[in-house]
Amino acid sequence: GAGVSQTPSNKVTEKGKYVELRCDPISGHTALYWYRQSLGQGPEFLIYFQGTGAADDSGLPNDRFFAVRPEGSVSTLKIQRTERGDSAVYLCASSLTGGQGRSEAFFGQGTRLTVV
Amino acid sequence: GEDVEQSLFLSVREGDSSVINCTYTDSSSTYLYWYKQEPGAGLQLLTYIFSNMDMKQDQRLTVLLNKKDKHLSLRIADTQTGDSAIYFCAEIPEANQAGTALIFGKGTTLSVSS
């Protein structure tokens, strides 16, 4: 596609529920990143995919968070047993090759998750 | 630990120059970045500088890097109302060998008045 697309743009869920956030990267981009941005903060790294595999998941805060990219294109971030502290904007980015130092990462507009 | 710090707000008049400052902690960072975030829009990469450079200029943007003081600045010449946004400084610390995890500051909100 023309840019990184994230759906839904907004998601409101009840505490304890399960949510899935979707990211469609730019076509042909092998690298995909997830970040989380809380109010008044900068984005915080969660996970990085190179192709289908998670090359770096060191930013996932706990085992309630999981992400997949089964065909090396679309990625889904999954959050189990959501907590109010999970409320944030979840950003997805993709780049042509891996390693953000070598290839510009393009960001989507994010999914605003609100846990009530 | 790794940390990137920025002042939170900057207010300037249209036509003036804006200077946004950033300090970082990892002296081994290879790349340092400036991103722009407008309301309802994704992060947009404005410019970046490699650690072996002191300065980089791109049209109205000038990036200055002082490695000794671990200080990075972004100067916007002839600031326009369309430049109003949040500006993020970011680094890739050497500890991240794959160069995957950008460490962002909290962002500087630039307000441009006409």
Side-chain angles (χ1 to χ4, degrees):
Chain A
V4 177
S5 176
Q6 292 187 247
T7 54
S9 55
N10 280 284
K11 175 72 177 177
V12 180
T13 190
E14 291 181 348
K15 179 176 177 292
K17 298 289 189 183
Y18 167 83
V19 296
E20 291 189 350
L21 312 179
R22 177 186 168 107
C23 173
D24 275 276
I26 294 173
S27 178
H29 280 194
T30 63
L32 185 145
Y33 314 84
W34 283 99
Y35 286 81
R36 176 170 70 175
Q37 186 175 18
S38 301
L39 191 63
Q41 303 293 318
E44 176 188 20
F45 171 76
L46 295 176
I47 187 169
Y48 155 60
F49 286 91
Q50 181 58 250
T52 61
D56 183 355
D57 63 357
S58 61
L60 294 177
N62 52 59
D63 61 6
R64 294 187 298 107
F65 288 75
F66 188 71
V68 296
R69 196 186 184 200
E71 297 179 359
S73 178
V74 170
S75 176
T76 304
L77 178 66
K78 309 180 180 193
I79 310 174
Q80 298 177 321
R81 304 183 304 280
T82 52
E83 300 176 357
R84 293 195 178 88
D86 298 334
S87 297
V89 176
Y90 289 81
L91 297 168
C92 177
S94 70
S95 65
L96 188 59
T97 62
Q100 288 171 302
R102 295 182 288 278
S103 176
E104 179 181 350
F106 295 85
F107 282 80
Q109 294 189 8
T111 292
R112 182 176 298 280
L113 174 67
T114 303
V115 182
V116 297
Chain B
E2 301 149 354
D3 200 11
V4 176
E5 295 193 358
Q6 305 176 235
S7 53
L8 296 181
F9 298 100
L10 177 64
S11 181
V12 300
R13 289 187 178 275
E14 193 174 21
D16 288 349
S17 291
S18 305
V19 180
I20 301 172
N21 295 300
C22 167
T23 57
Y24 58 97
T25 55
D26 191 326
S27 58
S28 301
S29 292
T30 53
Y31 292 90
L32 294 139
Y33 302 81
W34 285 104
Y35 279 83
K36 178 182 181 182
Q37 187 175 44
E38 295 177 277
L43 283 163
Q44 175 194 357
L45 177 64
L46 280 179
T47 186
Y48 67 93
I49 189 166
F50 191 56
S51 59
N52 67 354
M53 299 168 65
D54 297 324
M55 184 181 84
K56 181 178 180 181
Q57 187 152 4
D58 183 2
Q59 299 181 343
R60 292 191 297 122
L61 304 179
T62 302
V63 179
L64 295 177
L65 175 60
N66 182 329
K67 282 196 70 176
K68 175 176 173 290
D69 294 337
K70 289 181 277 189
H71 182 267
L72 182 74
S73 68
L74 173 69
R75 179 177 181 271
I76 306 172
D78 187 26
T79 312
Q80 303 298 306
T81 54
D83 295 324
S84 294
I86 303 175
Y87 291 80
F88 291 94
C89 172
E91 64 168 344
I92 293 182
E94 189 192 32
N96 187 286
Q97 294 298 319
T100 58
L102 281 167
I103 306 297
F104 286 87
K106 292 185 178 182
T108 299
T109 299
L110 174 64
S111 175
V112 183
S113 57
S114 56

